[in-house]
Amino acid sequence: MGRIILVGLLFISTLLAKDINVVVFLTDKAKFDNAFLVTSGLQKTLQKDEKADIELVLGGSSVEVFASKSKKDLDMQEKIKALVTMPNVRVVACSGAMKRSGIDKSWLSTGVKTVKAAPREVVLKQLDGYALLQP
C-alpha cells in the first residue's frame, strides 16, 4: 500500500512540475547586457531536474552587434558564443532586421540561427506557453 501511495505521489509531482520556457526579446542593441544577464541568469538558476527552453531573439538594432568590430561589439559576440554553448539556450536573429542592417548570415556567431521575423517568433513562442521577457 505504501508503495502505491509513493508511486502516486511521484506521478502527481511529475504532472505538476512546470517547464521553464522563456523567450527573451531584444530589439535594442543598447540593452544587450541586460538581455545577456537575464538569459544566462535563468539558465544558471535551473535545478538539475528542471526542464527548460530559453530562447534569446535578436531583432531590430540588436542584430547590429554582428556588423561591427568595435571592442564592445566583439565582447557582445563573445557573450553570444557563450550563450549558445549553454544547455537549454538558443539564440536566433531576425532575417528581416539583418537585411535592413546589411548583415550577412555568414557574419553570425557559430550556433546562432535565423528566423524570418522576430515578432512572429515571439508570438509563436507565446502561443506555445512561453513567458516573454523584454530587457
Side-chain angles (χ1 to χ4, degrees):
M1 179 69 151
R3 289 183 185 173
I4 293 173
I5 292 172
L6 181 59
V7 169
L9 288 174
L10 287 172
F11 179 73
I12 290 171
S13 68
T14 301
L15 288 177
L16 295 176
K18 297 194 184 323
D19 294 345
I20 308 287
N21 295 322
V22 179
V23 60
V24 181
F25 188 26
L26 180 64
T27 58
D28 183 356
K29 180 178 150 184
K31 296 181 180 179
F32 175 82
D33 286 333
N34 291 340
F36 174 77
L37 289 173
V38 167
T39 306
S40 62
L42 275 171
Q43 194 281 332
K44 290 175 183 173
T45 62
L46 294 174
Q47 302 299 314
K48 192 170 35 170
D49 59 343
E50 283 183 308
K51 293 180 181 176
D53 186 31
I54 304 165
E55 182 174 80
L56 173 59
V57 178
L58 304 174
S61 68
S62 69
V63 299
E64 294 171 4
V65 67
F66 300 110
S68 172
K69 298 299 179 196
S70 72
K71 167 113 174 77
K72 183 169 176 109
D73 286 347
L74 290 173
D75 287 345
M76 286 188 257
Q77 290 172 30
E78 288 302 314
K79 288 179 178 179
I80 290 170
K81 289 176 186 175
L83 287 175
V84 297
T85 65
M86 292 180 174
N88 310 309
V89 175
R90 273 187 326 284
V91 179
V92 298
C94 175
S95 294
M98 290 170 53
K99 184 176 181 179
R100 285 188 299 280
S101 297
I103 297 168
D104 189 80
K105 188 176 178 179
S106 66
W107 300 356
L108 298 177
S109 299
T110 302
V112 176
K113 306 294 183 207
T114 59
V115 293
K116 188 172 184 175
R120 179 178 172 81
E121 176 72 5
V122 171
V123 168
L124 291 174
K125 291 296 182 190
Q126 286 184 292
L127 290 173
D128 284 340
Y130 282 60
L132 169 64
L133 299 177
Q134 287 186 278

